[in-house]
Amino acid sequence: MIKDRYINPLTDFGFKKLFGEAANKELLIHFLNQLLPEKHQVEDLEYLPSERLPSSFLDRKVIFDIYCTSSRGEQFVIELQRSKQNHFIDRSIFYSTFPIQEQSERGDWNFKLWPIYTICILDFKINQPNPHNRVIRYVQLKDQDKELFFKDLTYIYIELPNFTKTLDELEDLQDKWLYLFRYLAKLEDRPAALQERIFTRLFRAAEIASYSTEERQNYEVSLKKHRDIKNAIDTALEEGLEKGRAEGLEEGLKKGEERGLEKGELKAKKAMAKQMQAANLPLEQIAKITGCSLEQIKNWLKD
C-alpha cells in the first residue's frame, strides 16, 4: 500500500510519468531550460522512440530513458541512473554516438551536426575528481590549452547527492528542480517556496491519488524494484567490503588490503546480482546496474 502523497521521480515509472509523456512535456521543457544556455532554450520538443536498434546483428541495442528533439533540431538523450556503475561515463558517451549517427543524410552531406546533449541525472557520485562538490557538471571537448574545440556535443552530469540545500536556501528555479528530484516523494504538502505555475503542474501530475488503478499498481512495482535494488546494493557492498578487508588483512597490510578489497568488490557484485535476481529483475538490468557483462552475470547466477 502506497502511503506517500507524491510519486518518486527517481523510480523508472515516476521519471517517465512526469517527464516522458507528451501530456507532461511542459515539465521536461522547463527542466531542460534550467540547464541549457540561452541559445539552446527549448520552445517545443518531440519525443523520439527510446529503443535504438543496432545497425548489424553484431552491434548492441540500447534503450534510452528519454530521447527527444527540440523544434530547432537539438537532440537530447536523458538518462536516470539510481545505482552506482563503475563505467557509467563510458556508457553515457557510448549513448551519445547514436544521435550522432542518426544525423547522417543520404547523398551529398557536409557532415554538419545539430547540437547534442546527453543529460544524466544520477543518485550517486561518479568516480571522477570533484573538489568543489559540484552538483551539475558540464563536459565538452577541449584542446590541450583547455580551449573549447567542439561546441555542439555536451554532457551534463547531475550528481544529486551533492545537492544539500534546504527549502530556505533555494536561490533559483534550477535549485527548486534539484530539490524536487531529491525530496518530492517525502513531501506531504506543496511548500510555500515552490509556488511557481510550473510546479502547480508538477504537483498535480505527481499526486498518486489521481492515478488509475493500473498506474498505481505499475508504480508500486517500480517502487519495489527501486527499494530492492537499493537494499541489495547496500547489503552487498557492506558484506563485500567486510570480507574484502578481512582477506586483505590476512594477505598483508598494504598489498593485502588492495587485493582483499578487489576480491571484496567482486564478491559484492556477485551477491548483489543474486539478490537482484531474487527480486525478479531482468538479467539485462542486473548487468546494467553492476557494470558487468551479461555473460558474466549469467555465469555467476548459473553457479
Side-chain angles (χ1 to χ4, degrees):
M1 183 69 178
I2 303 173
K3 297 181 180 179
D4 300 332
R5 180 175 180 182
Y6 300 111
I7 201 169
N8 186 341
L10 298 181
T11 60
D12 284 330
F13 180 89
F15 183 65
K16 290 172 184 174
K17 177 69 177 174
L18 295 178
F19 301 102
E21 295 185 354
N24 290 329
K25 72 176 179 179
E26 183 183 354
L27 298 177
L28 180 59
I29 290 171
H30 194 279
F31 171 64
L32 289 176
N33 284 341
Q34 308 316 307
L35 302 173
L36 302 173
E38 187 66 33
K39 63 181 178 179
H40 290 155
Q41 291 289 290
V42 178
E43 295 179 5
D44 195 10
L45 59 77
E46 174 189 354
Y47 290 97
L48 301 173
S50 59
E51 184 173 349
R52 317 319 290 171
L53 297 175
S55 56
S56 77
F57 73 94
L58 295 174
D59 295 332
R60 179 183 292 271
K61 176 180 74 174
V62 303
I63 300 177
F64 303 133
D65 285 334
I66 296 175
Y67 184 30
C68 56
T69 182
S70 75
S71 54
R72 292 186 304 191
E74 296 98 343
Q75 291 181 295
F76 303 94
V77 172
I78 306 165
E79 283 290 298
L80 171 71
Q81 181 71 20
R82 293 159 299 284
S83 54
K84 192 166 187 175
Q85 191 179 91
N86 288 339
H87 303 294
F88 182 80
I89 294 176
D90 305 62
R91 178 180 142 201
S92 65
I93 293 172
F94 173 68
Y95 274 21
S96 70
T97 64
F98 285 82
I100 291 173
Q101 294 177 68
E102 289 175 2
Q103 290 190 34
S104 64
E105 298 178 5
R106 290 177 178 271
D108 293 334
W109 178 46
N110 62 5
F111 290 92
K112 168 64 180 172
L113 294 174
W114 289 99
I116 295 169
Y117 286 88
T118 301
I119 299 169
C120 305
I121 303 165
L122 311 175
D123 197 21
F124 61 90
K125 298 182 180 184
I126 53 180
N127 294 326
Q128 286 290 342
N130 188 4
H132 302 292
N133 281 326
R134 295 190 186 279
V135 179
I136 302 177
R137 291 202 261 181
Y138 292 84
V139 179
Q140 291 181 303
L141 296 176
K142 296 185 177 182
D143 64 18
Q144 67 269 32
D145 298 316
K146 298 183 180 180
E147 296 293 332
L148 187 61
F149 187 74
F150 183 71
K151 62 181 176 59
D152 286 332
L153 183 61
T154 306
Y155 300 87
I156 303 177
Y157 299 95
I158 303 173
E159 297 177 68
L160 290 174
N162 288 336
F163 184 81
T164 58
K165 290 184 178 181
T166 64
L167 271 171
D168 295 335
E169 296 171 327
L170 303 181
E171 299 176 23
D172 51 27
L173 288 168
Q174 186 183 93
D175 278 355
K176 293 179 181 183
W177 274 112
L178 295 174
Y179 182 88
L180 285 166
F181 267 105
R182 290 211 68 182
Y183 303 114
L184 177 61
K186 298 178 182 179
L187 298 176
E188 296 180 2
D189 293 295
R190 181 179 173 184
L194 302 172
Q195 292 302 312
E196 289 83 356
R197 186 189 66 82
I198 191 65
F199 298 128
T200 300
R201 188 179 185 98
L202 173 72
F203 277 94
R204 189 184 302 128
E207 192 148 17
I208 298 169
S210 67
Y211 294 171
S212 67
T213 301
E214 183 181 2
E215 286 177 321
R216 286 198 295 272
Q217 289 173 344
N218 289 339
Y219 176 52
E220 284 193 70
V221 171
S222 184
L223 193 60
K224 183 179 184 303
K225 285 183 180 179
H226 175 75
R227 289 169 177 164
D228 286 346
I229 290 171
K230 186 178 187 308
N231 290 337
I233 291 170
D234 290 345
T235 302
L237 285 176
E238 188 176 333
E239 291 177 355
L241 287 173
E242 285 178 3
K243 290 178 182 177
R245 289 193 182 97
E247 290 176 8
L249 287 173
E250 290 175 5
E251 292 179 17
L253 290 173
K254 185 177 179 181
K255 189 174 180 180
E257 185 177 0
E258 287 174 358
R259 288 182 179 176
L261 287 172
E262 225 172 81
K263 290 180 181 178
E265 185 178 346
L266 186 63
K267 287 184 178 180
K269 287 186 177 183
K270 286 184 179 179
M272 191 188 310
K274 289 178 180 178
Q275 290 188 45
M276 285 189 282
Q277 184 194 35
N280 295 320
L281 266 70
L283 295 184
E284 291 80 2
Q285 191 170 359
I286 296 174
K288 176 179 173 182
I289 291 167
T290 58
C292 300
S293 69
L294 187 60
E295 195 63 35
Q296 192 172 20
I297 295 296
K298 287 179 179 177
N299 289 335
W300 285 348
L301 297 180
K302 194 186 298 179
D303 296 337

